[in-house]
Amino acid sequence: MADWPSGIIAGHSCISTTDVVNSVGAEINNSNSITQSAAWQVANTGVFVPVRVFQPITVVKMAIIVGATNTGSCDVGIYDPAGNRLVRAGSTALGTASTVQTFDITDTALDPGLYYFALALTSTSGTVFQSAPGNLYMRAMGCFTVASAFSTGLITPVTYASVNGTVTRFPWIGAYMETAI
Amino acid sequence: MGGWPKGPGMWIPPPVLGTDNVHALGASRRTIGAGGTPTSTAWPAANRAIAIPIWLPDAMVVSSLFIANGGTASGNLDLGIYTIDGAKVVAKGTTAQTGTSTLQILTVTATPVGPGPYYMVAVLDSTAGFAQAYATAVVAEQQMGVVQSAAAVPLAATLTFASPAATFIPLMGISTITTY
């Protein structure tokens, strides 16, 4: 019997949408698209960013970075490739401006695999930290959008749609395996 | 015999592996001072294939390849994956370049690729066609392992790679899915 195959183990206490190995950080780095405060582009539209998990983890908190203006509400969650929501924070008023907003989600075990971190805001006056590579580049990174993804919070299931010209940026979303952030 | 075992430390392929993915040029472009977003650029020479190196830690089942078209679509293209020795693994075949300022996604028969080093290859038979590309210095392309080959459309069974001659890296990629 062959030895147990070894592979990449990317492990630290936080996985985010700007991670180089777990998500699209390399692409963002190459495109010079810095993450900064920017208005949500389409109310209630969810932006979904691919994240790869290489070992079993349990996510206990999620986070976003609120920008300069905290108008409206938001919801953050994790989905599988089929569009099924695995966990969400629930509708939450956008937090204090220019701070990390954390969400104490239901502890959720994730097996190794592909997931999508999602965020939707109810108001285009609300701002969060986002990278702005453009819709074409977002498609080339594997991002998706879902119109009306926010009802009373992020809906399930969703049907992923290609990123069109009205969405040109995606948010920083973090998932934590510890409670201290 | 059971399937490939799943467990801690197993590689998960990205759904879309493009030019700037960590398994392609990664963070290299910016590191060597060549960062930035692509712009619509004429294909540098008819029947010149541009090959971008990729590294797959484990098998990836490729269902489509894509290229980001520029402001003008013209001529015929082909997209494929080759070993570093120049043997074709999979390619779409002759396809008219269609769609401007968008991804042109070409589906292929689901093909396991990897593990190991490969090239993702794009060729266009006309300089009237444009792609979203990076005007990267040839020296920088050489640093990152980008190569080229004289190649007609459709891509041949074997290619002979050579040093890049143009400041041109297309935004292209491979994918496990067919809609994105």
Side-chain angles (χ1 to χ4, degrees), chain A residues 4-9 20 26-27 29-32 50 52-54 56 112-114 116 133 136-137 139-142 144 162, chain B residues 5 9-16 20-23 26-27 29-30 35-37 57 66 101-103 105 132 134 177 179-180:
Chain A
W4 186 263
S6 61
I8 297 173
I9 295 180
V20 169
E27 291 93 328
N29 187 48
N30 273 344
S31 69
N32 292 342
R52 296 179 288 161
V53 173
F54 296 105
L114 172 66
Y116 289 87
L136 202 62
Y137 205 74
R139 290 179 64 190
M141 297 189 303
F144 292 103
S162 298
Chain B
M10 304 309 293
W11 183 66
I12 309 298
V16 181
D20 283 334
N21 187 270
V22 67
H23 301 292
R29 284 199 306 114
R30 185 171 185 181
T37 50
F66 76 88
S101 301
T102 189
L103 301 190
I105 299 171
Q132 300 290 334
Y134 308 103
I177 55 180
T179 302
Y180 43 96

Side-chain angles (χ1 to χ4, degrees), chain A residues 8 20 34 37 49 58 62 84-85 89 98 111 121 133 139 142 146 149 157-158 166:
Chain A
I8 297 173
V20 169
I34 61 172
S37 175
V49 185
T58 298
M62 297 189 73
N84 300 303
R85 188 186 68 212
S98 303
D111 288 333
L121 269 61
R139 290 179 64 190
V146 175
V158 297
T166 57

Side-chain angles (χ1 to χ4, degrees), chain B residues 13-180:
Chain B
V16 181
L17 195 164
T19 299
D20 283 334
N21 187 270
V22 67
H23 301 292
L25 300 187
S28 296
R29 284 199 306 114
R30 185 171 185 181
T31 300
I32 58 178
T37 50
T39 59
S40 178
T41 310
W43 202 260
N47 298 313
R48 175 182 294 171
I50 309 297
I52 297 172
I54 60 175
W55 169 259
L56 305 178
D58 202 344
M60 174 179 180
V61 179
V62 176
S63 295
S64 71
L65 302 96
F66 76 88
I67 187 164
N69 287 341
T72 304
S74 180
N76 298 296
L77 56 80
D78 197 2
L79 304 177
I81 300 172
Y82 280 73
T83 68
I84 59 174
D85 296 326
K88 182 167 64 178
V89 176
V90 64
K92 175 62 177 180
T94 304
T95 306
Q97 187 185 32
T98 58
T100 58
S101 301
T102 189
L103 301 190
Q104 183 168 358
I105 299 171
L106 308 183
T107 59
V108 294
T109 301
T111 304
V113 182
Y118 295 85
Y119 290 110
M120 46 190 192
V121 178
V123 63
L124 189 62
D125 65 3
S126 168
T127 57
F130 283 58
Q132 300 290 334
Y134 308 103
T136 308
V138 169
V139 169
E141 293 176 351
Q142 291 176 300
Q143 287 178 265
M144 296 185 289
V146 176
V147 293
Q148 67 177 45
S149 176
V153 174
L155 288 166
T158 61
L159 293 179
T160 300
F161 297 119
S163 299
T167 58
F168 182 95
I169 300 177
L171 174 58
M172 66 168 297
I174 63 178
S175 176
T176 60
I177 55 180
T178 58
T179 302
Y180 43 96

Side-chain angles (χ1 to χ4, degrees), chain A residues 28-108:
Chain A
I28 292 304
N29 187 48
N30 273 344
S31 69
N32 292 342
S33 301
I34 61 172
T35 304
Q36 58 186 342
S37 175
W40 200 250
Q41 293 177 291
V42 183
N44 301 315
T45 285
V47 178
F48 293 71
V49 185
V51 175
R52 296 179 288 161
V53 173
F54 296 105
Q55 60 191 89
I57 61 173
T58 298
V59 178
V60 301
K61 279 194 171 181
M62 297 189 73
I64 62 173
I65 307 174
V66 182
T69 308
N70 61 349
T71 303
S73 297
C74 67
D75 197 4
V76 63
I78 300 174
Y79 286 73
D80 68 15
N84 300 303
R85 188 186 68 212
L86 303 177
V87 67
R88 69 171 178 181
S91 179
T92 309
L94 209 53
T96 304
S98 303
T99 65
V100 173
Q101 181 172 6
T102 62
F103 306 86
D104 191 9
I105 61 170
T106 300
D107 293 359
T108 301

